[in-house]
mmCIF file of all heavy atoms in Angstrom:
data_model
loop_
_atom_site.group_PDB
_atom_site.id
_atom_site.type_symbol
_atom_site.label_atom_id
_atom_site.label_comp_id
_atom_site.label_asym_id
_atom_site.label_seq_id
_atom_site.Cartn_x
_atom_site.Cartn_y
_atom_site.Cartn_z
ATOM 1 N N ASP L 234 -7.082 13.563 3.073
ATOM 2 C CA ASP L 234 -7.321 15.002 2.863
ATOM 3 C C ASP L 234 -6.697 15.828 3.945
ATOM 4 O O ASP L 234 -6.858 17.130 3.899
ATOM 5 C CB ASP L 234 -8.789 15.247 2.732
ATOM 6 C CG ASP L 234 -9.596 14.732 3.893
ATOM 7 O OD1 ASP L 234 -8.954 14.277 4.898
ATOM 8 O OD2 ASP L 234 -10.859 14.700 3.821
ATOM 9 N N THR L 235 -6.105 15.226 4.946
ATOM 10 C CA THR L 235 -5.572 16.008 6.075
ATOM 11 C C THR L 235 -4.067 15.652 6.207
ATOM 12 O O THR L 235 -3.688 14.530 6.131
ATOM 13 C CB THR L 235 -6.342 15.660 7.348
ATOM 14 O OG1 THR L 235 -7.683 15.803 7.163
ATOM 15 C CG2 THR L 235 -5.805 16.555 8.493
ATOM 16 N N TYR L 237 -0.553 16.614 8.563
ATOM 17 C CA TYR L 237 0.004 17.163 9.815
ATOM 18 C C TYR L 237 1.508 17.231 9.721
ATOM 19 O O TYR L 237 2.142 16.382 9.126
ATOM 20 C CB TYR L 237 -0.387 16.212 10.964
ATOM 21 C CG TYR L 237 -1.789 15.771 11.069
ATOM 22 C CD1 TYR L 237 -2.288 14.787 10.242
ATOM 23 C CD2 TYR L 237 -2.712 16.396 11.965
ATOM 24 C CE1 TYR L 237 -3.616 14.353 10.301
ATOM 25 C CE2 TYR L 237 -4.019 15.974 12.074
ATOM 26 C CZ TYR L 237 -4.487 14.971 11.240
ATOM 27 O OH TYR L 237 -5.764 14.543 11.309
ATOM 28 N N TYR L 239 4.970 17.464 12.248
ATOM 29 C CA TYR L 239 5.443 17.271 13.629
ATOM 30 C C TYR L 239 7.003 17.443 13.628
ATOM 31 O O TYR L 239 7.644 17.191 12.618
ATOM 32 C CB TYR L 239 5.109 15.848 14.158
ATOM 33 C CG TYR L 239 3.684 15.628 14.425
ATOM 34 C CD1 TYR L 239 2.902 15.123 13.299
ATOM 35 C CD2 TYR L 239 3.053 15.705 15.587
ATOM 36 C CE1 TYR L 239 1.561 14.862 13.558
ATOM 37 C CE2 TYR L 239 1.747 15.486 15.823
ATOM 38 C CZ TYR L 239 0.990 15.064 14.722
ATOM 39 O OH TYR L 239 -0.334 14.831 14.971
ATOM 40 N N GLN L 241 10.455 16.448 15.829
ATOM 41 C CA GLN L 241 10.944 15.549 16.940
ATOM 42 C C GLN L 241 12.418 15.803 17.150
ATOM 43 O O GLN L 241 13.266 15.499 16.264
ATOM 44 C CB GLN L 241 10.719 14.131 16.521
ATOM 45 C CG GLN L 241 11.089 13.122 17.681
ATOM 46 C CD GLN L 241 10.728 11.728 17.344
ATOM 47 O OE1 GLN L 241 10.821 11.270 16.187
ATOM 48 N NE2 GLN L 241 10.429 10.880 18.326
ATOM 49 N N ASP L 246 9.655 13.225 22.140
ATOM 50 C CA ASP L 246 8.483 12.730 21.440
ATOM 51 C C ASP L 246 8.110 13.745 20.364
ATOM 52 O O ASP L 246 8.485 14.917 20.470
ATOM 53 C CB ASP L 246 7.252 12.517 22.384
ATOM 54 C CG ASP L 246 6.941 13.739 23.173
ATOM 55 O OD1 ASP L 246 7.652 14.068 24.175
ATOM 56 O OD2 ASP L 246 5.905 14.411 22.879
ATOM 57 N N PRO L 247 7.408 13.316 19.318
ATOM 58 C CA PRO L 247 7.006 14.304 18.307
ATOM 59 C C PRO L 247 6.091 15.379 18.827
ATOM 60 O O PRO L 247 5.175 15.123 19.598
ATOM 61 C CB PRO L 247 6.286 13.400 17.225
ATOM 62 C CG PRO L 247 6.733 12.022 17.506
ATOM 63 C CD PRO L 247 6.963 11.973 18.976
ATOM 64 N N PHE L 249 3.549 18.570 17.709
ATOM 65 C CA PHE L 249 2.731 18.949 16.687
ATOM 66 C C PHE L 249 3.028 20.425 16.296
ATOM 67 O O PHE L 249 3.214 21.284 17.103
ATOM 68 C CB PHE L 249 1.247 18.935 17.073
ATOM 69 C CG PHE L 249 0.256 19.585 16.151
ATOM 70 C CD1 PHE L 249 -0.022 18.947 14.900
ATOM 71 C CD2 PHE L 249 -0.356 20.794 16.435
ATOM 72 C CE1 PHE L 249 -0.925 19.542 14.019
ATOM 73 C CE2 PHE L 249 -1.209 21.367 15.553
ATOM 74 C CZ PHE L 249 -1.557 20.754 14.376
ATOM 75 N N TYR L 254 -6.591 20.676 6.604
ATOM 76 C CA TYR L 254 -7.730 19.841 6.229
ATOM 77 C C TYR L 254 -8.329 20.426 5.019
ATOM 78 O O TYR L 254 -8.731 21.638 5.036
ATOM 79 C CB TYR L 254 -8.729 19.668 7.383
ATOM 80 C CG TYR L 254 -10.085 19.166 6.912
ATOM 81 C CD1 TYR L 254 -10.227 17.942 6.369
ATOM 82 C CD2 TYR L 254 -11.216 19.950 7.082
ATOM 83 C CE1 TYR L 254 -11.457 17.487 5.978
ATOM 84 C CE2 TYR L 254 -12.519 19.475 6.640
ATOM 85 C CZ TYR L 254 -12.557 18.251 6.101
ATOM 86 O OH TYR L 254 -13.826 17.787 5.685
ATOM 87 N N ASP L 260 -5.357 23.538 12.349
ATOM 88 C CA ASP L 260 -4.860 23.629 13.715
ATOM 89 C C ASP L 260 -3.397 24.117 13.686
ATOM 90 O O ASP L 260 -2.665 23.879 12.693
ATOM 91 C CB ASP L 260 -5.032 22.289 14.454
ATOM 92 C CG ASP L 260 -5.038 22.430 15.970
ATOM 93 O OD1 ASP L 260 -4.785 23.576 16.503
ATOM 94 O OD2 ASP L 260 -5.230 21.481 16.690
ATOM 95 N N PHE L 294 8.434 15.257 10.686
ATOM 96 C CA PHE L 294 7.508 14.242 10.134
ATOM 97 C C PHE L 294 6.230 14.867 9.632
ATOM 98 O O PHE L 294 5.718 15.775 10.162
ATOM 99 C CB PHE L 294 7.143 13.193 11.238
ATOM 100 C CG PHE L 294 8.246 12.352 11.639
ATOM 101 C CD1 PHE L 294 8.859 12.484 12.888
ATOM 102 C CD2 PHE L 294 8.725 11.287 10.839
ATOM 103 C CE1 PHE L 294 9.867 11.691 13.364
ATOM 104 C CE2 PHE L 294 9.806 10.499 11.248
ATOM 105 C CZ PHE L 294 10.385 10.671 12.456
ATOM 106 N N LEU L 299 -7.423 10.256 6.743
ATOM 107 C CA LEU L 299 -8.717 10.472 5.990
ATOM 108 C C LEU L 299 -9.860 10.384 7.076
ATOM 109 O O LEU L 299 -10.459 11.359 7.321
ATOM 110 C CB LEU L 299 -8.910 9.433 4.922
ATOM 111 C CG LEU L 299 -10.298 9.575 4.254
ATOM 112 C CD1 LEU L 299 -10.489 10.912 3.557
ATOM 113 C CD2 LEU L 299 -10.422 8.435 3.223
ATOM 114 N N THR L 300 -9.990 9.214 7.705
ATOM 115 C CA THR L 300 -11.022 9.029 8.697
ATOM 116 C C THR L 300 -10.307 8.768 10.021
ATOM 117 O O THR L 300 -10.156 9.618 10.866
ATOM 118 C CB THR L 300 -12.017 7.978 8.274
ATOM 119 O OG1 THR L 300 -11.302 6.772 7.991
ATOM 120 C CG2 THR L 300 -12.880 8.398 7.100
ATOM 121 N N LEU L 301 -9.945 7.477 10.168
ATOM 122 C CA LEU L 301 -9.378 7.046 11.426
ATOM 123 C C LEU L 301 -7.911 6.726 11.261
ATOM 124 O O LEU L 301 -7.472 6.196 10.236
ATOM 125 C CB LEU L 301 -10.149 5.800 11.944
ATOM 126 C CG LEU L 301 -11.680 6.044 12.097
ATOM 127 C CD1 LEU L 301 -12.346 4.773 12.471
ATOM 128 C CD2 LEU L 301 -11.992 7.138 13.079
ATOM 129 N N GLY L 302 -7.137 7.020 12.350
ATOM 130 C CA GLY L 302 -5.733 6.766 12.289
ATOM 131 C C GLY L 302 -4.986 7.909 11.672
ATOM 132 O O GLY L 302 -5.546 8.722 11.020
ATOM 133 N N GLN L 303 -3.691 7.946 11.989
ATOM 134 C CA GLN L 303 -2.792 9.037 11.407
ATOM 135 C C GLN L 303 -1.541 8.270 11.027
ATOM 136 O O GLN L 303 -0.935 7.636 11.902
ATOM 137 C CB GLN L 303 -2.611 10.080 12.463
ATOM 138 C CG GLN L 303 -2.225 11.447 11.894
ATOM 139 C CD GLN L 303 -2.288 12.539 12.898
ATOM 140 O OE1 GLN L 303 -1.265 13.127 13.210
ATOM 141 N NE2 GLN L 303 -3.477 12.866 13.399
ATOM 142 N N PHE L 304 -1.132 8.432 9.773
ATOM 143 C CA PHE L 304 -0.052 7.590 9.288
ATOM 144 C C PHE L 304 1.136 8.522 8.924
ATOM 145 O O PHE L 304 0.985 9.558 8.222
ATOM 146 C CB PHE L 304 -0.547 6.858 8.047
ATOM 147 C CG PHE L 304 -1.699 5.947 8.372
ATOM 148 C CD1 PHE L 304 -2.954 6.452 8.312
ATOM 149 C CD2 PHE L 304 -1.468 4.644 8.821
ATOM 150 C CE1 PHE L 304 -4.091 5.677 8.645
ATOM 151 C CE2 PHE L 304 -2.567 3.869 9.168
ATOM 152 C CZ PHE L 304 -3.843 4.369 9.130
ATOM 153 N N PHE L 305 2.310 8.179 9.484
ATOM 154 C CA PHE L 305 3.462 8.977 9.378
ATOM 155 C C PHE L 305 4.350 8.632 8.157
ATOM 156 O O PHE L 305 4.464 7.485 7.795
ATOM 157 C CB PHE L 305 4.298 8.912 10.628
ATOM 158 C CG PHE L 305 3.732 9.680 11.772
ATOM 159 C CD1 PHE L 305 2.604 9.264 12.423
ATOM 160 C CD2 PHE L 305 4.315 10.876 12.184
ATOM 161 C CE1 PHE L 305 2.034 9.994 13.475
ATOM 162 C CE2 PHE L 305 3.798 11.629 13.192
ATOM 163 C CZ PHE L 305 2.638 11.165 13.864
ATOM 164 N N GLY L 306 5.087 9.622 7.665
ATOM 165 C CA GLY L 306 6.124 9.420 6.665
ATOM 166 C C GLY L 306 7.422 9.085 7.326
ATOM 167 O O GLY L 306 7.505 9.000 8.559
ATOM 168 N N PRO L 307 8.453 8.872 6.564
ATOM 169 C CA PRO L 307 9.774 8.419 7.063
ATOM 170 C C PRO L 307 10.523 9.594 7.694
ATOM 171 O O PRO L 307 11.490 9.365 8.339
ATOM 172 C CB PRO L 307 10.495 7.859 5.843
ATOM 173 C CG PRO L 307 9.926 8.643 4.724
ATOM 174 C CD PRO L 307 8.439 8.824 5.057
ATOM 175 N N TYR P 113 2.012 3.767 18.800
ATOM 176 C CA TYR P 113 2.973 3.716 17.722
ATOM 177 C C TYR P 113 4.232 3.088 18.152
ATOM 178 O O TYR P 113 4.616 3.130 19.323
ATOM 179 C CB TYR P 113 3.310 5.162 17.184
ATOM 180 C CG TYR P 113 2.191 5.850 16.486
ATOM 181 C CD1 TYR P 113 1.255 6.564 17.132
ATOM 182 C CD2 TYR P 113 2.141 5.840 15.093
ATOM 183 C CE1 TYR P 113 0.181 7.263 16.516
ATOM 184 C CE2 TYR P 113 1.139 6.501 14.391
ATOM 185 C CZ TYR P 113 0.174 7.206 15.093
ATOM 186 O OH TYR P 113 -0.753 7.905 14.417
ATOM 187 N N GLN P 115 8.380 3.172 17.055
ATOM 188 C CA GLN P 115 9.332 3.977 16.185
ATOM 189 C C GLN P 115 10.688 3.372 16.288
ATOM 190 O O GLN P 115 11.217 3.151 17.404
ATOM 191 C CB GLN P 115 9.362 5.413 16.625
ATOM 192 C CG GLN P 115 10.259 6.359 15.780
ATOM 193 C CD GLN P 115 10.260 7.777 16.165
ATOM 194 O OE1 GLN P 115 10.012 8.129 17.325
ATOM 195 N NE2 GLN P 115 10.425 8.676 15.232
ATOM 196 N N GLY P 118 15.501 6.947 13.820
ATOM 197 C CA GLY P 118 15.596 7.676 12.552
ATOM 198 C C GLY P 118 14.446 7.414 11.613
ATOM 199 O O GLY P 118 14.466 7.922 10.415
ATOM 200 N N GLU P 119 13.494 6.622 12.034
ATOM 201 C CA GLU P 119 12.347 6.378 11.141
ATOM 202 C C GLU P 119 11.041 6.977 11.678
ATOM 203 O O GLU P 119 11.045 7.461 12.791
ATOM 204 C CB GLU P 119 12.161 4.768 11.042
ATOM 205 C CG GLU P 119 13.326 4.020 10.543
ATOM 206 C CD GLU P 119 13.670 4.345 9.139
ATOM 207 O OE1 GLU P 119 12.695 4.562 8.325
ATOM 208 O OE2 GLU P 119 14.856 4.377 8.791
ATOM 209 N N GLY P 120 10.021 6.966 10.857
ATOM 210 C CA GLY P 120 8.706 7.475 11.210
ATOM 211 C C GLY P 120 7.998 6.529 12.150
ATOM 212 O O GLY P 120 8.193 5.299 12.058
ATOM 213 N N PRO P 121 7.124 7.041 13.041
ATOM 214 C CA PRO P 121 6.323 6.183 13.906
ATOM 215 C C PRO P 121 5.362 5.322 13.043
ATOM 216 O O PRO P 121 4.787 5.880 12.061
ATOM 217 C CB PRO P 121 5.538 7.209 14.737
ATOM 218 C CG PRO P 121 6.310 8.454 14.713
ATOM 219 C CD PRO P 121 7.014 8.447 13.400
ATOM 220 N N LEU P 123 1.972 3.044 13.057
ATOM 221 C CA LEU P 123 0.737 2.821 13.814
ATOM 222 C C LEU P 123 0.556 1.336 14.086
ATOM 223 O O LEU P 123 0.574 0.551 13.210
ATOM 224 C CB LEU P 123 -0.504 3.378 13.104
ATOM 225 C CG LEU P 123 -1.798 3.289 13.742
ATOM 226 C CD1 LEU P 123 -1.844 4.042 15.068
ATOM 227 C CD2 LEU P 123 -2.915 3.745 12.842
ATOM 228 N N TYR P 128 -10.990 3.811 19.600
ATOM 229 C CA TYR P 128 -11.904 4.936 19.335
ATOM 230 C C TYR P 128 -13.091 5.110 20.325
ATOM 231 O O TYR P 128 -13.901 5.992 20.250
ATOM 232 C CB TYR P 128 -12.505 4.767 17.910
ATOM 233 C CG TYR P 128 -11.374 4.730 16.918
ATOM 234 C CD1 TYR P 128 -11.125 3.531 16.226
ATOM 235 C CD2 TYR P 128 -10.629 5.827 16.586
ATOM 236 C CE1 TYR P 128 -10.140 3.447 15.314
ATOM 237 C CE2 TYR P 128 -9.581 5.749 15.656
ATOM 238 C CZ TYR P 128 -9.356 4.557 15.026
ATOM 239 O OH TYR P 128 -8.315 4.485 14.148
ATOM 240 N N PHE P 166 5.266 4.706 21.582
ATOM 241 C CA PHE P 166 4.564 5.949 21.930
ATOM 242 C C PHE P 166 3.108 5.782 22.031
ATOM 243 O O PHE P 166 2.493 5.196 21.119
ATOM 244 C CB PHE P 166 4.884 7.074 20.949
ATOM 245 C CG PHE P 166 6.326 7.639 20.982
ATOM 246 C CD1 PHE P 166 7.237 7.233 19.980
ATOM 247 C CD2 PHE P 166 6.692 8.476 21.935
ATOM 248 C CE1 PHE P 166 8.526 7.765 19.998
ATOM 249 C CE2 PHE P 166 7.999 9.084 21.949
ATOM 250 C CZ PHE P 166 8.897 8.672 21.038
ATOM 251 N N GLN P 170 -5.760 11.801 20.919
ATOM 252 C CA GLN P 170 -6.304 12.681 19.915
ATOM 253 C C GLN P 170 -7.757 13.118 20.226
ATOM 254 O O GLN P 170 -8.498 12.296 20.684
ATOM 255 C CB GLN P 170 -6.256 11.916 18.508
ATOM 256 C CG GLN P 170 -6.800 12.784 17.357
ATOM 257 C CD GLN P 170 -6.915 11.962 16.079
ATOM 258 O OE1 GLN P 170 -7.231 10.811 16.140
ATOM 259 N NE2 GLN P 170 -6.648 12.577 14.941
ATOM 260 N N ARG P 172 -10.574 13.962 18.051
ATOM 261 C CA ARG P 172 -11.001 13.965 16.675
ATOM 262 C C ARG P 172 -12.129 14.825 16.447
ATOM 263 O O ARG P 172 -13.142 14.802 17.140
ATOM 264 C CB ARG P 172 -11.328 12.520 16.272
ATOM 265 C CG ARG P 172 -10.319 11.898 15.319
ATOM 266 C CD ARG P 172 -10.716 10.447 14.916
ATOM 267 N NE ARG P 172 -11.346 9.709 15.935
ATOM 268 C CZ ARG P 172 -12.554 9.235 15.874
ATOM 269 N NH1 ARG P 172 -13.354 9.603 14.837
ATOM 270 N NH2 ARG P 172 -13.089 8.580 16.880
ATOM 271 N N ALA P 175 -16.017 15.848 10.256
ATOM 272 C CA ALA P 175 -16.528 16.803 9.289
ATOM 273 C C ALA P 175 -16.692 16.181 7.915
ATOM 274 O O ALA P 175 -15.738 15.627 7.415
ATOM 275 C CB ALA P 175 -15.619 18.068 9.138
ATOM 276 N N GLY P 177 -17.740 13.406 6.622
ATOM 277 C CA GLY P 177 -17.307 12.018 6.361
ATOM 278 C C GLY P 177 -15.847 11.764 6.655
ATOM 279 O O GLY P 177 -15.362 10.662 6.510
ATOM 280 N N THR P 178 -15.134 12.775 7.075
ATOM 281 C CA THR P 178 -13.711 12.617 7.462
ATOM 282 C C THR P 178 -13.590 13.039 8.925
ATOM 283 O O THR P 178 -14.534 13.541 9.490
ATOM 284 C CB THR P 178 -12.810 13.428 6.483
ATOM 285 O OG1 THR P 178 -11.451 13.029 6.769
ATOM 286 C CG2 THR P 178 -12.921 14.892 6.754
ATOM 287 N N SER P 179 -12.418 12.806 9.429
ATOM 288 C CA SER P 179 -12.186 13.329 10.806
ATOM 289 C C SER P 179 -10.678 13.653 10.889
ATOM 290 O O SER P 179 -9.838 13.060 10.171
ATOM 291 C CB SER P 179 -12.543 12.282 11.855
ATOM 292 O OG SER P 179 -11.708 11.094 11.710
ATOM 293 N N TYR P 180 -10.321 14.580 11.731
ATOM 294 C CA TYR P 180 -9.003 15.013 11.837
ATOM 295 C C TYR P 180 -8.749 15.554 13.252
ATOM 296 O O TYR P 180 -9.669 15.889 14.004
ATOM 297 C CB TYR P 180 -8.659 16.132 10.868
ATOM 298 C CG TYR P 180 -9.593 17.307 10.945
ATOM 299 C CD1 TYR P 180 -9.285 18.439 11.716
ATOM 300 C CD2 TYR P 180 -10.757 17.343 10.184
ATOM 301 C CE1 TYR P 180 -10.133 19.526 11.770
ATOM 302 C CE2 TYR P 180 -11.602 18.486 10.260
ATOM 303 C CZ TYR P 180 -11.359 19.503 11.068
ATOM 304 O OH TYR P 180 -12.205 20.568 11.133
ATOM 305 N N GLY P 181 -7.478 15.693 13.645
ATOM 306 C CA GLY P 181 -7.110 16.229 14.953
ATOM 307 C C GLY P 181 -5.651 15.971 15.277
ATOM 308 O O GLY P 181 -5.113 14.848 14.909
ATOM 309 N N LYS P 182 -5.004 16.917 15.868
ATOM 310 C CA LYS P 182 -3.590 16.739 16.138
ATOM 311 C C LYS P 182 -3.412 15.597 17.182
ATOM 312 O O LYS P 182 -4.279 15.273 17.930
ATOM 313 C CB LYS P 182 -2.976 18.024 16.693
ATOM 314 C CG LYS P 182 -3.521 18.425 18.097
ATOM 315 C CD LYS P 182 -2.949 19.715 18.529
ATOM 316 C CE LYS P 182 -3.503 20.091 19.914
ATOM 317 N NZ LYS P 182 -3.040 21.409 20.358
ATOM 318 N N LEU P 183 -2.200 15.037 17.228
ATOM 319 C CA LEU P 183 -1.796 14.050 18.244
ATOM 320 C C LEU P 183 -0.975 14.723 19.335
ATOM 321 O O LEU P 183 -0.116 15.497 19.022
ATOM 322 C CB LEU P 183 -1.063 12.857 17.587
ATOM 323 C CG LEU P 183 -1.731 12.070 16.517
ATOM 324 C CD1 LEU P 183 -0.896 10.916 16.054
ATOM 325 C CD2 LEU P 183 -3.105 11.572 16.958
ATOM 326 N N PHE P 185 1.611 13.297 22.176
ATOM 327 C CA PHE P 185 2.349 12.079 22.422
ATOM 328 C C PHE P 185 2.745 11.947 23.891
ATOM 329 O O PHE P 185 3.052 12.951 24.506
ATOM 330 C CB PHE P 185 3.586 11.982 21.504
ATOM 331 C CG PHE P 185 3.318 11.669 20.051
ATOM 332 C CD1 PHE P 185 2.955 12.658 19.141
ATOM 333 C CD2 PHE P 185 3.402 10.342 19.662
ATOM 334 C CE1 PHE P 185 2.655 12.270 17.850
ATOM 335 C CE2 PHE P 185 3.175 9.960 18.327
ATOM 336 C CZ PHE P 185 2.847 10.912 17.436
ATOM 337 N N GLY P 186 2.924 10.692 24.298
ATOM 338 C CA GLY P 186 3.595 10.454 25.564
ATOM 339 C C GLY P 186 5.095 10.578 25.323
ATOM 340 O O GLY P 186 5.571 10.730 24.218
#
Side-chain angles (χ1 to χ4, degrees):
Chain L
D234 54 10
T235 306
Y237 311 81
Y239 294 85
Q241 186 177 31
D246 55 284
F249 172 73
Y254 163 62
D260 201 353
F294 290 107
L299 177 59
T300 51
L301 303 176
Q303 204 166 116
F304 301 90
F305 283 74
Chain P
Y113 289 87
Q115 185 178 28
E119 301 293 327
L123 182 61
Y128 304 108
F166 287 101
Q170 182 186 36
R172 251 180 323 115
T178 190
S179 66
Y180 57 90
K182 67 181 180 185
L183 300 183
F185 283 84

